[in-house]
Structures are given as C-alpha cells and as structure tokens.
Amino acid sequence: MNTTELMFNAIKSQFPWADCPLADAEEISADLISEAYNIAVKQDLGHLVASACEKIADESTKKEFSKKKLTAIFRREQISFEEKKIFNLFDTNEIDYIPLKGSVIKKFYPEEWMRTSSDTDILIRPENGERALSLLTEALGYKYEGKSAKDYQLFSENGVHIELHYSPESGNPKTDKVLSQIWDYAVKGENTHRYDLTPEFLLFYTVAHALYHFLGGGCGVKPFLDVWVMESKMEYDINKLSALINECGIEKFYISFKALSEVWFGKAEHTDITRNMEDYIFMGGVYGNRENLGKASLHKNGSKLKYLYSRIFKPRKYLELQYPNLENHPMLLPYYQIKRWFNLFNGNRRRDVTAELQGSLKNDETAKLFDILEI
C-alpha cells in the first residue's frame, strides 16, 4: 500500500456504506501514516485521515490527530452558527437565498464536521445585493472586504468568511448558460425565503464548480468526494442530471470526473486519463496553483502571444472591480493598467506571476489532457 492508497482507504473507512475498514496498526508504518496525512492536509481532508488513523497512530501523533479532528468540529460549528444568523436575517427581511456547496452538502456526510469548508457560500438575487449587504454589515456587524465579478466578500467578527453571491456564473461560457438558470432549479421552502436546489442541479453545480477550479489550476479532491457522497445518500434522476451535463457540452469531463471518483472511492483501476487528472489535481492542491494556472491559461488563449497579451492587458470590467473609481472615470483606464503593472512587482505577486509564466512554458501534457476532456 502506498501513501495515496492509504489516504483514500482512510477516508473511505469513515463512511459506513463504503465497507472499507482500515488495516491494523501492525500493517501500516508510522511513516506511511504521516505521509498519507500530510497529503490529505494539502487537500483539506486531513481531519478525515486523522479521525481514521487516530487509533493506530503512535502516542505523539494521536494528540495531533485528535486536535485536527476537534478543530474540524469547531470550524463546522462556527460556520453553521453564522449560517443560521444569516438565514434568519434574510427570512425576516424577505430576501430570497440559496445555500450553496458545503452548507448543503454537509448533511449527506455521516457527521457534518466531516465536510469542512473554508467559507460559507450563499446566493441571492442580484437586485437584492445592496440591501443584503447593508443588512449583513449593519445588523450582524460583518466586515465588508470588497466585491468580485460574482460575489461580495465579508467576514464575521469571529473570522468566518462569507461569500455572498449575486451571480452563480463562473466565466465559463459552456457551464454558465445552464448555471444562469439556477433559480429555475430551486425549490422554495414553506414559511421561509430559503430555496434549495433540486438534487440533479446540486450535483451539476458541484461538477461545474469543480470544472471552474480545474480550469483555474486545480480543483482538489473534495468535489469528487462530495459527488460520491451525494450519489450514495441522495435520490436523484440520472436522466435529468445527464440532460444538464449534455446541455452545456461537458460530457467528456463529467465521464472522466466520474471515472476518477470511482478510482479513488470505488474499486475502479486507473486509466491514462485518470492518472493524468490525478497528477494535475495533486500538483494543484485544494484551489490550484499558479503553475497549473499558467498551463491552463495558455491552453485557453491558444498561443503564447495571446496568453501574454491577456496577462498584460486586463479588460476594463476586471479593472473596475480592482479599482472601483474607474467605473465613473473611464478615461483613467490607461492609468489603472499601468498601476496594475507596478503592483505586480511586489514580492508575493511577483512570485505568483513568475510561477504562472513558468507553468505556461510547460503546457504540453496539460494541453493534451484538456483536449481529451474537451474543456
């Protein structure tokens, strides 16, 4: 058994329906446990491996694993507490909302703490954006940190990150034509302004969001686990899901996504495609890295010249988010383009740009993979 196999076996052992008990301590070395745990941490799944291996680890490692598990429980409780406050606020003020991602998927896990999140994602109708933002900052004391092309960024007093989405779209034309219909696939609850996605659309949204991150440098293992868990514990119509996948033309990606999920959490064997996907995902970590982003961006632009042009000259819409003053003073566009260039020279940004450019020079294997997946 290698480290990756141990990691996935440890994760599966936490789900009763997987029927995958972990081997005894005598069969697994302390070094192997440590290596598998470190890989899982990079995927934000360290708490599951810690929970699985806590009983068979040595004494010093047991303490670390116990702390990791307790931290995950505390993290989930913190986020759930903030979610309840927001949901109550929106219900009271008649603001329609759709909980997204971990805030919904957690209920399909054996225990909610098993599905960790770095933030909480909530979708509202765009016309309610400014009012919702005012309520969150004034009534709940959330700190507003800025606006992106699709959401408002806020933080609670205890540090919980809130992404208040006013658009479900990701910037990928293939999936956005279906994601833009999200409210048509949401069902309103009784005596509440909460809407919940249909099971099929929830699965589609998870795959589409994974594709968004995959194209941005890597999506991590978690969406594969989410889909496996939901398909195991949630009733859904496979024909309706297939119709959504087919409508936006991501069949090849979905088929390969499912195949890799079966390798990791089922009993399937690797193929060349799943192996390449695994390498790309493991290199990128939870949210991808700049080198993978460089490879993906070069493939998207089609040539090094177009890629470099896209990195040097950003669209006005992008710059308006970074520099809000530009929205009312469009003649300042050249000034803000130049200002952005100078900002790239600070330490962290310079390292990011360098890594991305280096990745763009090593695009061959990634380009082949993206072509096979038709993304």
Side-chain angles (χ1 to χ4, degrees):
M1 181 184 296
N2 62 34
T3 54
T4 304
E5 290 171 340
L6 174 57
M7 183 187 79
F8 285 116
N9 283 346
I11 291 171
K12 286 189 289 185
S13 73
Q14 298 298 283
F15 298 89
W17 63 84
D19 191 24
C20 183
L22 203 59
D24 294 333
E26 295 78 19
E27 301 176 38
I28 306 174
S29 70
D31 287 344
L32 192 62
I33 292 173
S34 178
E35 290 169 6
Y37 171 70
N38 289 335
I39 294 174
V41 167
K42 293 177 181 177
Q43 297 293 332
D44 195 22
L45 296 171
H47 61 295
L48 292 177
V49 173
S51 178
C53 296
E54 188 176 1
K55 294 180 180 179
I56 63 174
D58 57 49
E59 288 305 316
S60 62
T61 307
K62 280 182 181 180
K63 292 181 181 179
E64 181 184 352
F65 284 180
S66 177
K67 182 179 179 181
K68 186 71 174 180
K69 181 177 177 179
L70 289 173
T71 300
I73 294 171
F74 177 70
R75 180 174 161 189
R76 173 46 65 194
E77 288 298 320
Q78 267 194 318
I79 293 177
S80 295
F81 176 72
E82 296 300 330
E83 288 171 350
K84 289 175 184 176
K85 289 200 300 184
I86 296 171
F87 298 164
N88 288 335
L89 181 70
F90 286 173
D91 283 334
T92 301
N93 289 276
E94 300 182 343
I95 293 177
D96 295 340
Y97 61 96
I98 303 176
L100 300 172
K101 296 161 59 178
S103 59
V104 180
I105 297 171
K106 66 183 181 182
K107 68 182 180 181
F108 298 107
Y109 280 65
E111 300 286 344
E112 289 190 355
W113 64 266
M114 292 182 173
R115 207 310 182 166
T116 54
S117 300
S118 60
D119 53 34
T120 188
D121 297 81
I122 305 167
L123 177 69
I124 57 172
R125 299 185 190 275
E127 61 268 25
N128 290 330
E130 294 299 326
R131 186 161 73 96
L133 185 62
S134 296
L135 285 168
L136 290 172
T137 54
E138 295 170 11
L140 298 184
Y142 287 165
K143 184 179 180 181
Y144 175 54
E145 291 288 334
K147 179 182 179 182
S148 77
K150 59 181 179 178
D151 58 41
Y152 301 102
Q153 302 285 322
L154 302 104
F155 284 87
S156 69
E157 291 181 352
N158 60 1
V160 172
H161 183 197
I162 314 296
E163 289 194 353
L164 185 64
H165 296 258
Y166 54 85
S167 170
E169 299 178 13
S170 65
N172 181 350
K174 281 189 172 184
T175 54
D176 281 353
K177 66 180 181 181
V178 178
L179 289 173
S180 63
Q181 305 170 42
I182 192 169
W183 288 98
D184 297 333
Y185 291 90
V187 181
K188 188 176 185 294
E190 293 185 12
N191 303 316
T192 179
H193 282 266
R194 171 175 174 152
Y195 286 71
D196 283 294
L197 298 177
T198 64
E200 298 79 22
F201 203 90
L202 180 59
L203 283 165
F204 166 75
Y205 181 90
T206 304
V207 174
H209 192 73
L211 175 57
Y212 161 70
H213 282 294
F214 194 87
L215 290 167
C219 60
V221 172
K222 196 179 293 183
F224 295 83
L225 179 59
D226 284 343
V227 168
W228 176 71
V229 168
M230 285 190 285
E231 289 190 341
S232 299
K233 305 302 292 183
M234 180 177 71
E235 292 186 5
Y236 69 99
D237 187 326
I238 185 61
N239 293 323
K240 291 181 180 179
L241 173 60
S242 296
L244 293 169
I245 296 293
N246 294 343
E247 185 176 348
C248 56
I250 59 169
E251 299 96 325
K252 288 288 181 67
F253 178 78
Y254 176 68
I255 290 169
S256 298
F257 181 101
K258 286 281 293 174
L260 184 53
S261 180
E262 284 301 310
V263 170
W264 285 343
F265 304 110
K267 299 184 184 299
E269 296 293 328
H270 265 301
T271 64
D272 289 342
I273 296 174
T274 60
R275 182 70 71 186
N276 288 338
M277 287 181 71
E278 180 181 272
D279 291 344
Y280 179 79
I281 289 167
F282 271 56
M283 181 181 177
V286 179
Y287 301 113
N289 61 22
R290 303 299 295 197
E291 184 172 329
N292 274 3
L293 175 60
K295 297 175 183 178
S297 298
L298 177 58
H299 182 267
K300 176 183 177 181
N301 284 280
S303 72
K304 286 184 172 62
L305 183 61
K306 289 181 179 179
Y307 163 68
L308 289 173
Y309 183 88
S310 74
R311 292 299 288 121
I312 295 170
F313 298 100
K314 286 296 182 181
R316 176 180 157 184
K317 182 179 179 181
Y318 172 92
L319 289 174
E320 284 177 352
L321 294 170
Q322 191 172 359
Y323 307 107
N325 189 46
L326 178 60
E327 189 172 354
N328 297 321
H329 301 87
M331 74 284 293
L332 294 176
L333 178 60
Y335 165 75
Y336 284 118
Q337 286 281 11
I338 295 170
K339 183 176 181 178
R340 174 181 165 271
W341 297 341
F342 278 100
N343 286 341
L344 294 178
F345 287 104
N346 73 51
N348 291 332
R349 294 294 300 279
R350 186 170 64 248
R351 284 192 293 271
D352 287 345
V353 172
T354 300
E356 186 176 331
L357 291 172
Q358 288 174 342
S360 71
L361 298 175
K362 300 184 286 187
N363 179 56
D364 289 348
E365 291 303 317
T366 301
K368 291 177 185 177
L369 175 62
F370 281 23
D371 284 339
I372 291 171
L373 298 176
E374 296 184 359
I375 55 178

